[in-house]
Amino acid sequence: MDYTVRIEPLGQTIRIEAGQTLLDACLRQGVWLPHACCHGLCATCKVQIVDGEIDQGDASDFALMDFEREEGKCLACCATPMSDLVIQADIDEDPDAQNLPLQDYTGTVVAMEDATPTIRVIRLAVEGAGRVAFQAGQYLNLHVPGCGQPRAFSLANAPHDSEIEMHIRRVPDGVATGWLHDELRPGAQLAFAAPFGRFFVRKQAQVPTIFLAGGSGLSSPKSMILDLLNEGATLPITLIHGARTRDELYFEAFFNDLAGRYPNFRYLPALSSEPDGSGWPGPRGFVHEVLKAQYTDAAGIADFRGHKAYVCGPPPMVEACIKTLMQGRLFERDIYTEQFLSAADASAAAKSPLFRI
């Protein structure tokens, strides 16, 4: 049985199947709702039921309190319809958003390589679909054998590429990443859905961009930078990629080559724990420290005004970069982050006290 959902303040009505979540129905019909973990744990997709009846599903009591349920709120990633619905959602319309519909795909593993001791690069050829439609910076949800919930991985290839590229960091005791590192073989088929997320370049702003990445957080910036350069962007683009030591740094030659071919692109690999005397010629320190040093004037003042910054990496790195950017007078409207929350850790994840994600 099908129902209808009217989404306010858009005034748009969509169809939804019995048993289908509100989030899935919206995304598959090109209506973006805020979301993050997709497991009912982070509360990002909370919406108000204005009219109609729903099943709350497996929404966490932590993410959706009893009093909120009584007020008619639900988590769109868990709630399913029991009647026609009207919902009120906190939708931030953005002129740069393409609002591409969510689709299901099957990909065949065509290449794998260990880029670092803990990061594996996996490439997929998509069956019968040509290119996967997504905006640079978005992610996919990958179905990994033996894992009940799909896992989120950034799309590291540019949208115009024919193959899908993922950078998979091995998580200690992680079932999904362990399988992808130890069991996956070339020729295997993997199912996934895409695109997800609201992380993309605000191109209409026409200002210089700063990309800050730590570890496998390089995935989204790589896609975004390649997309900008492919479209002929001429404004300055800076990438600072952090790792602890040189053996944990990857795609160094790739980005050095880009910097040599595009005069508006600057690449700064930063190592925080590289041994003294190793011969490393590049910057030393954490990403936020290298960031501050690169934008500090003769008076010792860092100034990031007139830029947009995109930050991807471990939570401590993201927090440190946000503080540094804000101290240099770049504020929330010009800082964008992508944060993934797994089913295991979403309930314990703390939101930034400085920044709304």
Side-chain angles (χ1 to χ4, degrees), residues 182-302:
D182 299 332
E183 304 297 331
L184 185 65
R185 297 291 182 270
Q189 292 188 328
L190 294 172
F192 64 93
F196 289 92
R198 200 68 164 178
F199 193 56
F200 52 84
V201 177
R202 272 59 180 183
K203 297 177 181 178
Q204 292 190 29
Q206 286 294 296
V207 295
T209 51
I210 302 170
F211 294 96
L212 306 170
S216 61
L218 181 66
S219 305
S220 289
K222 176 176 178 287
S223 176
M224 297 157 95
I225 290 166
L226 290 175
D227 185 47
L228 284 169
L229 295 176
N230 180 67
E231 291 185 349
T234 57
L235 289 168
I237 301 169
T238 297
L239 168 64
I240 302 177
H241 181 211
R244 289 185 300 176
T245 58
R246 197 161 191 175
D247 69 334
E248 294 181 352
L249 183 69
Y250 69 109
F251 279 16
E252 180 186 3
F254 176 86
F255 285 110
N256 277 326
D257 177 68
L258 276 186
R261 292 189 289 122
Y262 295 93
N264 62 315
F265 174 61
R266 178 172 59 156
Y267 168 58
L268 297 167
L271 303 183
S272 61
S273 301
E274 179 70 4
D276 292 336
S278 67
W280 168 247
R284 292 175 180 265
F286 294 103
V287 171
H288 69 281
E289 295 170 334
V290 175
L291 168 69
K292 183 175 181 178
Q294 291 295 319
Y295 288 86
T296 296
D297 60 22
I301 299 173

Side-chain angles (χ1 to χ4, degrees), residues 115-139:
T116 78
T118 59
I119 297 173
R120 168 164 286 190
V121 176
I122 297 174
R123 295 183 175 87
L124 306 176
V126 181
E127 296 185 357
R131 295 182 179 89
V132 173
F134 72 99
Q135 278 189 270
Q138 292 188 296
Y139 66 93

Side-chain angles (χ1 to χ4, degrees), residues 310-323:
Y310 302 85
V311 191
C312 303
M317 178 226 129
V318 172
E319 291 285 347
C321 288
I322 289 171
K323 290 179 182 178

Side-chain angles (χ1 to χ4, degrees), residues 79-149:
T80 56
M82 299 175 65
S83 70
D84 292 340
L85 300 170
V86 178
I87 67 172
Q88 183 82 26
D90 183 16
I91 298 175
D92 182 18
E93 295 188 78
D94 191 302
D96 285 297
Q98 294 181 14
N99 295 324
L100 299 167
L102 179 67
Q103 297 186 61
D104 296 313
Y105 300 93
T106 299
T108 300
V109 178
V110 294
M112 299 188 303
E113 60 178 302
D114 291 328
T116 78
T118 59
I119 297 173
R120 168 164 286 190
V121 176
I122 297 174
R123 295 183 175 87
L124 306 176
V126 181
E127 296 185 357
R131 295 182 179 89
V132 173
F134 72 99
Q135 278 189 270
Q138 292 188 296
Y139 66 93
L140 58 77
N141 269 352
L142 185 71
H143 295 275
V144 180
C147 299
Q149 296 282 0

Side-chain angles (χ1 to χ4, degrees), residues 61-73:
D61 291 337
F62 173 83
L64 190 67
M65 304 292 187
D66 288 341
F67 76 88
E68 293 178 306
R69 297 170 192 252
E70 293 172 1
E71 292 173 351
K73 293 183 173 62

